[in-house]
Amino acid sequence: EEIAKILGSQSVVTTLDVVERRSLLGSKHVIGNKQNVNTEFKDPLAAAKLACELGAGEIIFNSVSMDGMQKGYDLEFARQIKGIVNVPVSFLGGCGELTDMSKLLSVFGHCGCAAGSRFVYKGKLNGVLINYPSSTEKREIKGNANVRR
């Protein structure tokens, strides 16, 4: 809160590591990593609200469960977060195809779509090759998403 007052909320970015916990009763999202759950802030929705109240100007949701899997973003979590916070949001973890970005934008609306593995690994054997989308592919991502201004 003090940093936001001194530097402005645009300078404060909060990153929340979110992991999906599954059980016989279903699944839920919690703050933590693959081994541990943060016992103080288990609920990522409550943690995101608190971050905004304390002055965060942006929130990055790092889906630990999806990170590096390249099987798509956690769209269910994106649906849960939509409308909870009033600051810019980015999602990290899961992007495997450019169409995954379009799907996320269609579900959430305007947001950041991080995609580390998507740009570094290539092919069935995941050879390392930095590979960014072309201008045409970027337009297709935006064009395939149902995002209203």
Side-chain angles (χ1 to χ4, degrees):
E1 188 173 25
E2 187 175 336
I3 294 170
K5 287 180 182 174
I6 294 169
L7 300 176
S9 63
Q10 80 284 350
S11 298
V12 180
V13 178
T14 300
T15 302
L16 298 175
D17 289 339
V18 179
V19 64
E20 183 179 15
R21 296 284 189 207
R22 296 179 184 192
S23 71
L24 294 175
L25 302 174
S27 65
K28 66 178 182 174
H29 294 89
V30 294
I31 299 290
N33 57 38
K34 289 184 179 179
Q35 289 81 31
N36 301 307
V37 173
N38 182 317
T39 56
E40 188 174 352
F41 296 108
K42 288 183 185 179
D43 179 8
L45 304 179
K49 286 180 189 177
L50 179 61
C52 289
E53 290 170 11
L54 294 176
E58 179 179 350
I59 299 178
I60 299 171
F61 293 101
N62 177 26
S63 178
V64 176
S65 304
M66 301 300 285
D67 193 28
M69 302 302 291
Q70 297 187 38
K71 294 184 179 184
Y73 296 99
D74 188 339
L75 298 179
E76 181 56 39
F77 181 71
R79 283 183 189 94
Q80 291 175 20
I81 285 297
K82 189 174 181 170
I84 296 291
V85 296
N86 58 355
V87 298
V89 171
S90 293
F91 292 93
L92 169 63
C95 184
E97 300 292 331
L98 296 177
T99 55
D100 292 333
M101 293 179 181
S102 295
K103 290 175 186 175
L104 177 60
L105 291 169
S106 293
V107 166
F108 190 84
H110 294 285
C111 64
C113 304
S117 296
R118 166 62 180 88
F119 297 133
V120 175
Y121 300 112
K122 192 71 177 167
K124 292 180 182 178
L125 300 176
N126 283 330
V128 177
L129 173 67
I130 305 296
N131 182 27
Y132 294 107
S134 67
S135 296
T136 303
E137 290 172 317
K138 288 178 190 176
R139 285 190 294 275
E140 287 176 9
I141 291 168
K142 188 176 178 184
N144 289 334
N146 290 325
V147 179
R148 297 182 184 168
R149 291 192 182 253

